[in-house]
Amino acid sequence: MQQYRQWMLQALADARLAVATGDVPVAALVIAADGTIIGRGRNERELHQDPTAHAEVVAIRDAAATTGDWHLTDATLVVTLEPCVMCAGAILSARIPRVVFGAWDDKAGAVGSVYDVLRDRRLNHSVEVIAGVEAEASASMLLEFFQARR
């Protein structure tokens, strides 16, 4: 659990960088089995005007480029906010076996709050989910971002 917390703190630091581009402060890391970071991403929808540029998708693309393989079967995805349906689909497609996230997303979450795509037994791949790591820090960063926009 301590290792998850350390990775989440790195993701939170990356999330702060998204604000400079006007993006929602969410970031993700893909961690190899040996503990090295093989992929990094933060929200870049505003930066690139790309609706698919969520932190998880950017990190998964980076990890696939780093490893030269889209099968991320030994990796862990660490993300500051519960993944949405699109990101859950990307996680399943990449065959990532474990997701660690910070804050719950009660409006669009697909890993237990609104939907539970990653643990749907009808699918051919299931994912271990570890929720709430540094949840308060993740949630407060998002709250501050949206309060400043109102």
Side-chain angles (χ1 to χ4, degrees):
M1 189 68 164
Q2 181 60 27
Q3 184 63 62
Y4 297 150
R5 185 175 177 278
Q6 290 172 347
W7 290 330
M8 186 63 71
L9 292 173
Q10 289 182 49
L12 285 165
D14 287 356
R16 288 180 187 87
L17 301 173
V19 177
T21 62
D23 281 289
V24 177
V26 176
L29 304 172
V30 179
I31 312 296
D34 68 0
T36 61
I37 297 171
I38 57 172
R40 288 187 113 93
R42 61 179 185 263
N43 277 358
E44 296 180 349
R45 291 185 311 170
E46 297 298 329
L47 178 64
H48 298 296
Q49 292 302 299
D50 177 357
T52 69
H54 287 206
E56 299 93 326
V57 172
V58 173
I60 290 168
R61 288 175 181 159
D62 188 38
T66 297
T67 63
D69 192 353
W70 64 268
H71 298 89
L72 301 174
T73 56
D74 293 327
T76 298
L77 179 89
V78 177
V79 61
T80 59
L81 179 65
E82 178 186 6
C84 69
V85 172
M86 177 185 70
C87 294
I91 291 162
L92 291 169
S93 293
R95 308 293 193 269
I96 294 172
R98 181 179 305 104
V99 170
V100 178
F101 72 86
W104 291 94
D105 185 345
D106 294 331
K107 293 182 181 176
V111 187
S113 61
V114 180
Y115 304 102
D116 199 354
V117 174
L118 296 185
R119 293 177 286 195
D120 189 324
R121 293 180 186 191
R122 296 170 290 182
L123 301 174
N124 66 343
H125 178 69
S126 64
V127 178
E128 177 186 7
V129 175
I130 299 155
V133 177
E134 291 295 317
E136 188 175 315
S138 298
S140 64
M141 183 183 305
L142 289 162
L143 184 63
E144 288 172 22
F145 174 81
F146 287 113
Q147 283 178 337
R149 296 251 184 258
R150 292 185 181 128

